[in-house]
Amino acid sequence: MRSKFKGPVVQRRDQVDGSTTDQRLLDSRGDSGWLHTDPWRVMRIQAEFVEGFGALAELGPAIAVFGSARTPVDHPSYAAAEELGRRLAEAGFAVITGGGPGAMEAANKGASEAGGVSVGLGIELPFETGLNDWSDVGINFRYFFARKTMFVKYSQGFAVLPGGVGTLDELFEAMTLVQTRKVTSFPIVLIGTDYWRGLVDWLRDTVAAEGKIAVEDLDMLTLTDDLDEVVALMQAARDADAGEASER
């Protein structure tokens, strides 16, 4: 059955429309009617922030886990994501994903089955149909920027599994926030040395070599296959945050 989520609303069968809310917001082509409707969109955007803040305000320490929605169930990355979700939950973290299938589903599953808080932050897309079944707390967003705010505000670190364009977008946004000091004590861990090494080499040998970033900027990234190391880094960041809070 054909279905689609638009924020908290589900459309099915012939009620499924052919565009997304983000698309209509950003598309300025055509007549000038959008000039009179954009101010009202602010109310919908505000509502998304209110819903997100209300649902996650008491979440506690959490880690965002990113990875491809196209990861098959029998792929090693799926198993790694599921195990990571379990270990993070056992270490006292909530696990936040994009709420989709693949690696996101696996991380949510691992956290949920371990008795942890498993959060899915979905997004309206024309080719996905809502949150995976392991998202015990789920919010569907219309706007990418509102959703991204929730990831950053309520996560103490990013664990990044192999993924595509969406995963790269999330990775580089996290790097930008750390580089510009918009966030502090925010570990970014790339899981899968074979998959990510080429990207890290390019950042060092091309981007940093040409002076587009500082070599020290690469220190914000940890590249590993060791899930124990991932959890230890997240715990260290949590402990550092707790120590700074007690001194204030």
Side-chain angles (χ1 to χ4, degrees), residues 22-201:
D22 267 330
Q23 180 183 342
R24 290 190 295 278
L25 170 66
L26 299 173
D27 191 352
S28 60
R29 294 170 295 177
D31 61 37
S32 61
W34 63 274
L35 287 170
H36 306 291
T37 59
D38 273 2
W40 292 102
R41 287 195 176 109
V42 173
M43 303 301 292
R44 179 177 286 171
I45 291 167
Q46 176 180 303
E48 293 215 330
F49 281 105
V50 171
E51 289 287 349
F53 294 155
L56 302 177
E58 299 179 358
L59 184 61
I63 302 301
V65 179
F66 295 114
S68 177
R70 304 182 186 188
T71 302
V73 175
D74 58 353
H75 194 279
S77 289
Y78 190 100
E82 185 174 347
E83 179 66 12
L84 177 62
R86 180 183 69 79
R87 294 192 191 189
L88 288 170
E90 291 173 348
F93 291 104
V95 171
I96 307 176
T97 80
M104 294 174 281
E105 173 189 278
N108 284 136
K109 179 182 179 184
S112 180
E113 290 188 333
V117 181
S118 173
V119 180
L121 305 181
I123 185 69
E124 176 193 352
L125 295 172
F127 46 79
E128 289 184 13
T129 57
L131 299 170
N132 65 65
D133 291 337
W134 295 101
S135 298
D136 299 325
V137 176
I139 309 169
N140 276 295
F141 290 88
R142 291 181 171 92
Y143 299 102
F144 266 114
F145 55 84
R147 177 181 183 242
K148 286 181 176 181
T149 299
M150 301 306 150
F151 279 121
V152 174
K153 180 172 176 60
Y154 294 105
S155 299
Q156 293 186 333
F158 274 180
V160 189
L161 291 142
V165 172
T167 303
L168 290 169
D169 173 53
E170 291 150 350
L171 166 61
F172 280 104
E173 174 147 7
M175 292 177 66
T176 300
L177 292 169
V178 173
Q179 183 198 51
T180 57
R181 300 183 183 179
K182 293 291 187 180
V183 293
T184 57
S185 301
F186 198 93
I188 305 171
V189 185
L190 302 177
I191 303 168
T193 54
D194 289 341
Y195 189 86
W196 294 113
R197 193 184 309 279
L199 174 64
V200 175
D201 289 346

